[in-house]
Amino acid sequence: MPVTWEPATARYRGEDGRFVSRDTVLDFVRQSIEASGDVTKTLAERVSSGQLSSREFLTVFKTEIKDEYIRQYVAGRGGVGSMAQSDWGKLGSMLKEQYAYASEFSKELGNLTEAQIVNRAGMYIESANQAFEAGYRKAITTSGNFSEERWILGDKQHCSWCIENAGRGWVAIGELPPFGSTPCGVRCGCHIA
């Protein structure tokens, strides 16, 4: 979903020039992650059945992680035109961390069942939510129109940290923990508004 962030109004605009709600953008985020999840599920099935080697799996898997993280961060930030050098640096740092985790994961593939591989691969893709939230936090911060944010519970099961953060209500930007840093990770479906 090509959108741009308009700092003056602190809102997203679609290609047709109309405002796009944050919920619409979040729907895109979820659909994109689901599509990448389908790809990684297929990869997991292929490596489990021996159709892909661990090395081949890792190469394709890292590309899928990279593509999803870029889509998510750019969507949160409000389009490629909104990206500053610091955004690309932040994204690169996030990817470096995910690549290290993925490399360790690939070493364990031979000891995991197909279901375990599918589950873990899905978690890596779902972690791209944190890229969207980082991009969005940067967009609202640089717009100058916001000074507060709040934790919104998602539609899945939550850990006590998510519930506690949601209970705080509106707080100054930066007081909430980075998205994905709670014990439940990114599988709760929460977001920051």
Side-chain angles (χ1 to χ4, degrees):
M1 158 181 256
V3 295
T4 57
W5 177 257
E6 188 174 279
T9 60
R11 294 179 70 184
Y12 291 104
R13 282 197 186 270
E15 289 180 303
D16 61 2
R18 295 181 187 193
F19 286 122
V20 176
S21 73
R22 187 166 191 273
D23 286 342
T24 300
V25 175
L26 286 172
D27 284 342
F28 161 75
V29 165
R30 288 183 199 103
Q31 291 170 13
S32 181
I33 286 175
E34 286 176 14
S36 284
D38 291 343
V39 170
T40 57
K41 182 175 188 265
T42 301
L43 289 173
E45 291 166 350
R46 293 186 67 203
V47 75
S48 180
S49 69
Q51 296 174 15
L52 281 178
S53 69
S54 295
R55 186 175 179 201
E56 292 167 325
F57 170 85
L58 181 60
T59 300
V60 179
F61 186 52
K62 284 169 65 174
T63 298
E64 194 63 33
I65 291 170
K66 177 190 73 162
D67 292 348
E68 193 58 40
Y69 264 73
I70 291 171
R71 274 191 296 273
Q72 296 300 317
Y73 193 99
V74 169
R77 190 66 175 89
V80 174
S82 298
M83 297 287 285
Q85 188 61 39
S86 60
D87 293 306
W88 292 112
K90 170 74 172 171
L91 191 51
S93 175
M94 295 173 89
L95 286 170
K96 182 178 179 181
E97 179 180 39
Q98 291 305 311
Y99 289 168
Y101 293 143
S103 293
E104 289 303 312
F105 172 45
S106 72
K107 294 174 187 173
E108 300 171 21
L109 291 173
N111 299 321
L112 301 173
T113 67
E114 182 177 312
Q116 290 171 320
I117 296 169
V118 168
N119 183 54
R120 292 230 350 233
M123 288 174 63
Y124 286 100
I125 295 302
E126 287 181 40
S127 75
N129 276 327
Q130 66 186 331
F132 174 82
E133 294 295 337
Y136 180 72
R137 185 177 267 182
K138 179 79 178 276
I140 64 171
T141 302
T142 58
S143 76
N145 294 324
F146 295 91
S147 59
E148 295 180 317
E149 62 187 357
R150 65 186 172 131
W151 195 276
I152 307 291
L153 294 175
D155 57 359
K156 299 178 182 176
Q157 197 170 30
H158 313 97
C159 68
S160 61
W161 284 35
C162 287
I163 293 168
E164 181 182 323
N165 283 316
R168 294 175 66 190
W170 291 97
V171 298
I173 291 176
E175 284 187 26
L176 292 174
F179 184 77
S181 65
T182 59
C184 60
V186 294
R187 288 212 142 160
C188 59
C190 295
H191 65 275
I192 297 172

